[in-house]
Every structure is written in C-alpha cells, then in structure tokens.
Amino acid sequence: VTQKVMPSILNYAPDSPEGKKYATLVKVAEEQGQLNRSQLYELLQADTRTGLLAKVNAASGWLFHHGERMNREVTMVATYNLEMERLKKEGITGEQAEIQAANTAIYTNELTNGGISAAAAPRFAQNPIGKMVFMYKRYGVSMYYMMFKTFKEATQGDTPEARKAAWKQLGGIVG
C-alpha cells in the first residue's frame, strides 16, 4: 500500500536496510515514548472539545508537532550513528552496542531538545500557571542545564582530553 506520510524513522519497513539498521533505536525510543510525541500533541490529545475551534487548534498545531518530532528523530539518528562508530572502534558490537547507542541517543536528545512529556518538566512547570509560563521555555531550561554540565566537565573532567573537548563544546555553544 502506498500512503503519503511525514518523514520518520518509523516509516522504514522492518526488512529494509534502514529498518534493520535502526530497529533497536526505534524499539528503545518507542518504549521510552520518544517517537510521535510532542508537548503540543499531548495538550491536543487531552482536549475533549469537538467544535470548530478545537479542529482549528489541532490543525494549527500540526506544524509545531511535526517540527518538534523531526528535531528529536534527527538528533537521535545522528547520535546513534556516531555512538555506533565509536563503540565499533572500541570493539563493542552486536545487540549490546545497539542498545547502548540507542540509550545514548535518547539521553542526548533529552539533553539538547528537552523532555517532551509534561511529567518530565520541572515541578513548577507541572501546575496550571507553570504550564503556561514554561510552554516554550523548557528548551531554554534544558540548554542551561547542558551548558552548566559542560562547564563542570570542562573544569572537573576525568581526563585532560575530556576537559579539552568540553571547553571546545562550550565554546561552540556560546560562540
């Protein structure tokens, strides 16, 4: 069956080369609720109204939802590919490498794009006023966390190489 859908790693046929390559990433990401979810999607799913305004609201949220989903998927796929290369150089292969790379991809996604579910928001952002205030600010909170974490790694990292890499990363973010 041919059907037009938005680009997604979920659209690869399981027996295709890409489907096989990303099967573990897709499985782990789905288990952790990382695919086909967004803040806006959650809000619209909770909306029980059925009138014209609700339909207009749902249609206008389509672009935001798919933009957020695409950002997450691109981040996860890029991180997964890089982590698989790194693990291969260390001699780690097979299912163990795939699971480790998938978890690293999800962690990196959460760190760079922020949490997607309301439950992942800071406690203040989970009450009615906080939801309104933090609607588009959770990304900023995540970025500050990443910058402080990178600064800590740059000043207190385990090895000189790790500290040097963290300084370069921090310079790239700030620069």
Side-chain angles (χ1 to χ4, degrees):
V1 175
T2 302
Q3 188 177 23
K4 291 192 183 247
V5 295
M6 292 300 297
S8 172
I9 58 175
L10 288 173
N11 296 340
Y12 291 127
D15 58 345
S16 71
E18 293 86 4
K20 291 176 184 174
K21 180 178 180 179
Y22 297 116
T24 302
L25 174 61
V26 169
K27 179 179 179 270
V28 173
E30 278 187 316
E31 287 171 356
Q32 296 188 28
Q34 294 293 313
L35 301 176
N36 206 24
R37 290 278 185 244
S38 68
Q39 291 177 31
L40 189 59
Y41 179 85
E42 286 187 355
L43 290 172
L44 292 175
Q45 288 295 344
D47 190 358
T48 57
R49 296 175 296 164
T50 58
L52 179 64
L53 184 59
K55 291 177 183 176
V56 169
N57 192 22
S60 66
W62 183 88
L63 183 62
F64 288 108
H65 165 69
H66 286 289
E68 187 178 337
R69 182 190 51 76
M70 185 66 76
N71 281 339
R72 283 194 318 274
E73 288 187 16
V74 168
T75 300
M76 286 189 290
V77 168
T79 304
Y80 181 83
N81 289 340
L82 290 169
E83 187 67 6
M84 286 298 290
E85 285 179 29
R86 186 186 72 76
L87 292 171
K88 186 177 179 182
K89 288 178 186 174
E90 292 182 7
I92 303 170
T93 58
E95 186 178 357
Q96 178 189 4
E98 290 175 4
I99 292 171
Q100 187 174 337
N103 285 320
T104 300
I106 291 167
Y107 173 75
T108 301
N109 177 55
E110 288 281 325
L111 188 62
T112 57
N113 294 319
I116 59 171
S117 68
R123 182 65 69 202
F124 173 73
Q126 293 181 18
N127 68 43
I129 294 173
K131 285 180 184 178
M132 183 182 71
V133 170
F134 273 87
M135 184 180 296
Y136 300 106
K137 303 295 184 204
R138 286 179 25 202
Y139 175 79
V141 171
S142 295
M143 288 304 294
Y144 278 122
Y145 170 77
M146 182 179 70
M147 287 193 300
F148 286 124
K149 181 178 178 291
T150 305
F151 180 76
K152 182 179 179 184
E153 180 69 25
T155 57
Q156 302 171 10
D158 293 336
T159 65
E161 294 84 18
R163 289 190 297 273
K164 184 178 179 179
W167 276 116
K168 285 183 178 180
Q169 182 180 6
L170 195 57
I173 293 168
V174 175

